[in-house]
Amino acid sequence: MQSELLMDDRLRSPEERPRPLRTGSDCPVLLSARLVLRAPHEDDIDALAHLANNSSVATMVSRMPHPYTVADAADFVRRSQAGTMGKCVYGITKAENGAFLGCCGIEPHRDPETVELGYWLGEPYWNRGYGTEAAQTLIDMAFRTRDIERIDARCRVMNIGSRRVIQKCGFQFQGSGMAHSLALGTMVPVEWYRLDRKIWMSLKSWGTGR
């Protein structure tokens, strides 16, 4: 796994590069310049509950309840560890001190060649580039280790910060529609974006234009 993650895909065509099919539970720890992405665990529960219990966060995430309690956080950690969510879930933490910043993950799509990217950060950590760094790291892992051709992402129309992350990662606008918000208990307008494998490969030097 580590050799796959470190391999320079720019030297290979899509046909030459091995793309093994991974199970939903096969979620390696991921490292970036400032972050460690790893499975949520019990020590995260208090920080998770504190950061998620914020309407500014919950109303931008489709399936986060509000208020968000310690019991909700404990249930989230339990389900992510059990693999019952059917997706690859990560806690976003700072490499320097292990501080819990938020969550990100990929989940299956009805199209087996597509996965969907999701992420959120606690409000104290907005506008510092952490969301983009986490998303790029997760995108790299997904394309390198999974037999997929594209990644989808969605954000609320009013969520300027999330749209900026999506665009900086190279996603292309596909359209708009409505999605249910658990926190608001209603449908809200969202935008749909897509990143395909060919575009990802052309943008593999993340520092250029990202």
Side-chain angles (χ1 to χ4, degrees), residues 58 113 167 203:
E113 293 189 338
Q167 292 173 340
L203 298 173

Side-chain angles (χ1 to χ4, degrees), residues 32-36 93-99:
S32 65
R34 298 180 295 167
L35 302 174
V36 176
T93 67
K94 292 183 72 171
E96 64 181 23
N97 59 13

Side-chain angles (χ1 to χ4, degrees), residues 2-208:
Q2 290 302 317
S3 61
E4 292 169 8
L5 292 175
L6 295 173
M7 188 177 297
D8 188 353
D9 291 333
R10 290 170 295 181
L11 302 179
R12 297 186 173 200
S13 70
E15 293 74 24
E16 293 172 327
R17 184 183 56 257
R19 291 185 284 149
L21 180 63
R22 304 290 175 177
T23 67
S25 60
D26 190 5
C27 304
V29 173
L30 304 176
L31 308 179
S32 65
R34 298 180 295 167
L35 302 174
V36 176
L37 308 186
R38 45 89 176 148
H41 51 62
E42 286 76 8
D43 290 345
D44 299 324
I45 289 174
D46 288 342
L48 169 59
H50 173 70
L51 294 175
N53 190 32
N54 179 340
S55 62
S56 296
V57 173
T59 56
M60 297 298 166
V61 181
S62 60
R63 294 190 292 268
M64 183 180 288
H66 185 74
Y68 195 96
T69 67
V70 170
D72 291 320
D75 182 62
F76 174 85
V77 170
R78 178 189 59 77
R79 288 184 295 118
S80 65
Q81 290 179 340
T84 56
M85 293 181 171
K87 55 187 176 182
C88 202
V89 179
Y90 286 97
I92 304 171
T93 67
K94 292 183 72 171
E96 64 181 23
N97 59 13
F100 183 89
L101 311 185
C103 290
C104 63
I106 54 173
E107 61 181 288
H109 192 276
R110 62 181 177 272
D111 174 5
E113 293 189 338
T114 305
V115 295
E116 185 145 353
L117 171 73
Y119 52 86
W120 66 267
L121 287 172
E123 190 169 3
Y125 305 107
W126 293 357
N127 301 313
R128 301 188 190 183
Y130 293 131
T132 302
E133 188 172 330
Q136 289 175 349
T137 303
L138 191 53
I139 288 164
D140 282 354
M141 183 278 287
F143 275 128
R144 285 174 169 169
T145 68
R146 293 173 182 251
D147 192 18
I148 59 170
E149 290 301 322
R150 61 199 67 87
I151 300 175
D152 283 358
R154 301 172 200 276
C155 68
R156 286 192 64 184
V157 171
M158 63 185 293
N159 193 342
I160 297 171
S162 185
R163 182 187 300 113
R164 185 164 59 244
V165 168
I166 289 169
Q167 292 173 340
K168 287 173 71 176
C169 289
F171 285 77
Q172 306 295 305
F173 179 75
Q174 303 295 308
S176 55
M178 302 293 288
H180 186 261
S181 165
L182 180 60
L184 294 171
T186 188
M187 303 293 285
V188 295
V190 297
E191 295 176 346
W192 165 38
Y193 293 83
R194 172 165 284 175
L195 175 64
D196 66 38
R197 182 176 286 277
K198 291 181 180 179
I199 293 177
W200 169 75
M201 290 182 67
S202 73
L203 298 173
K204 265 310 301 134
S205 66
W206 290 109
T208 341

